[in-house]
Amino acid sequence: MSSRDQIDALRVRMGEAIIGQRDVIDRLLIGLLANGNLLVEGLPGLAKTRAIKALAKNMEADFSRIQFTPDLLPSDVTGTEVYYQSGDQSEFRFEPGPIFANIVLADEINRAPAKVQAALLEAMEERQVTVAGKTHRMEPLFMVMATQNPIEQEGTYPLPEAQMDRFLMHVMITYPPVEDEVEVIKLVRGEEIAAMEEREGAPAKEKPAPIPQSAVFDARREIGAIHVSEAMERYMADLVNATRIPAEFGDDLKRWIEVGASPRASLGLDKCSRTHAWMAGRDYVDPEDVRAIAPDVLRHRLGLTFEAQGEGVTPDKVVEELLKQVALP
């Protein structure tokens, strides 16, 4: 099977476990193929954790889940030096924390204070962790997928801007349609029955072989060869630059945007639009690829004014206006 066939198979398998969230599945795959970290936000019970687990379960990859709580310590995430003594010999050995895995689920990341959240920063950006002056490299396939509850809920700590900027995309999950919720009920009921039968000794259904990591690396090489014209490069840069000089793009954007996006936004648009084009079966990027992923890449990188927040203007509304005001190539 080609890398595209294997990624398509991964998408189908995830769709069997996640009902009615096709856009979320596509965004998780884009994050995986673009070698980025994802922040997934939604109300409790909307299958954030389930979606990420479905990705890890169907891949040939080590999976680790960290439940973020207010009493978590940074060493609980990264690992720590432990003193060992045997006879006359003694030494400090590094005991890796749960962040040393291929796919790391940082569940409810905004339930822990900023000091613990910051324990992820070096791993997310530089793919390494430094403890006691020693640097420990992550595996070639490594990504952090964090979930967070809306910050309006009690017991949450807003993520620092520096950490938000390290997430390639900020994916939002909303309530499913009623028809899909009916299918969710049937799916979970079937899983519960299958689990009971398995505990009672019934033979488990044979599972297909997991998708190998090589499929991801092959896909990344193909995505690296996707053609991006100079006009498309300028369009991406113009979109990001418009967030820094909003007064030149209308009174509304001038009132809404206080802090614009960093150059990481331009890099994110390039990576994600190339991946989006590859997943659509094209070898070039067109404006629709950029417009499709722009909300996910920009929504967490915009600092809105108090006036915008008072009017109930969301980052998605701001990005929608940006796409209207910035000329297409």
Side-chain angles (χ1 to χ4, degrees):
M1 295 175 67
S2 68
S3 58
R4 187 184 304 280
D5 292 336
Q6 291 176 310
I7 298 301
D8 287 341
L10 178 58
R11 180 197 278 126
V12 170
R13 294 185 199 177
M14 292 176 66
E16 294 172 354
I18 307 296
I19 304 296
Q21 299 284 10
R22 180 163 293 278
D23 286 345
V24 174
I25 292 172
D26 285 345
R27 294 305 182 267
L28 293 182
L29 291 175
I30 288 175
L32 174 69
L33 298 177
N35 196 21
N37 306 295
L38 296 189
L39 178 63
V40 184
E41 180 175 342
L43 292 168
L46 292 184
K48 301 185 297 295
T49 302
R50 184 184 178 93
I52 296 169
K53 282 186 173 181
L55 170 62
K57 182 177 68 174
N58 288 290
M59 284 195 61
E60 191 181 76
D62 292 330
F63 173 70
S64 178
R65 177 181 179 272
I66 309 169
Q67 178 63 55
F68 278 67
T69 56
D71 61 346
L72 200 68
L73 297 174
S75 59
D76 295 331
V77 176
T78 61
T80 187
E81 293 275 324
V82 178
Y83 181 74
Y84 284 90
Q85 185 171 9
S86 177
D88 296 334
Q89 302 295 322
S90 60
E91 63 176 338
F92 280 97
R93 298 180 196 165
F94 176 67
E95 292 292 336
I99 198 171
F100 286 88
N102 298 124
I103 298 177
V104 179
L105 168 57
D107 216 357
E108 296 187 300
I109 188 173
N110 60 337
R111 293 290 184 194
K115 187 175 183 178
V116 180
Q117 296 171 9
L120 295 170
L121 293 181
E122 184 180 12
M124 289 170 61
E125 183 70 13
E126 300 173 29
R127 300 297 196 267
Q128 66 183 33
V129 169
T130 303
V131 177
K134 296 179 182 178
T135 298
H136 307 273
R137 302 289 302 176
M138 319 305 291
E139 293 291 326
L141 178 64
F142 172 77
M143 68 182 304
V144 173
M145 292 190 175
T147 70
Q148 76 168 2
N149 296 321
I151 60 174
E152 293 81 7
Q153 291 198 339
E154 293 185 11
T156 59
Y157 300 81
L159 270 65
E161 289 81 355
Q163 183 166 350
M164 291 289 284
D165 202 28
R166 281 171 167 79
F167 286 105
L168 179 66
M169 291 191 292
H170 181 188
V171 181
M172 302 293 293
I173 297 184
T174 57
Y175 288 118
V178 174
E179 296 79 9
D180 288 338
E181 196 149 356
V182 172
E183 295 301 317
V184 170
I185 294 172
K186 295 178 181 178
L187 173 65
V188 174
R189 183 193 302 144
E191 290 177 345
E192 290 174 349
I193 293 172
M196 286 190 293
E197 291 176 347
E198 188 174 341
R199 285 196 297 269
E200 293 170 359
K205 292 183 178 179
E206 186 176 350
K207 298 180 181 178
I211 304 300
Q213 293 186 21
S214 59
V216 176
F217 298 134
D218 290 343
R220 287 177 180 176
R221 280 190 285 271
E222 294 176 13
I223 290 168
I226 295 290
H227 176 69
V228 184
S229 67
E230 291 185 7
M232 292 309 307
E233 291 171 344
R234 182 56 188 260
Y235 180 52
M236 298 177 202
D238 284 344
L239 276 175
V240 175
N241 189 54
T243 68
R244 303 165 188 161
I245 49 172
E248 298 183 16
F249 291 87
D251 292 336
D252 284 339
L253 291 177
K254 178 183 178 181
R255 290 189 300 109
W256 293 343
I257 299 178
E258 182 175 18
V259 180
S262 76
R264 284 198 184 104
S266 302
L267 299 175
L269 286 174
D270 175 57
K271 289 180 180 179
C272 294
S273 60
R274 282 188 284 116
T275 306
H276 190 275
W278 182 86
M279 292 177 65
R282 284 182 279 102
D283 61 357
Y284 63 92
V285 171
D286 68 15
E288 287 309 308
D289 294 315
V290 180
R291 296 171 70 87
I293 53 86
D296 302 287
V297 173
L298 294 175
R299 64 165 58 100
H300 58 300
R301 292 184 163 99
L302 299 177
L304 303 188
T305 62
F306 285 114
E307 184 177 359
Q309 297 175 41
E311 294 177 5
V313 176
T314 64
D316 284 8
K317 175 66 175 177
V318 177
V319 175
E320 181 183 346
E321 185 65 21
L322 276 169
L323 293 174
K324 290 179 182 177
Q325 297 298 330
V326 178
L328 287 167

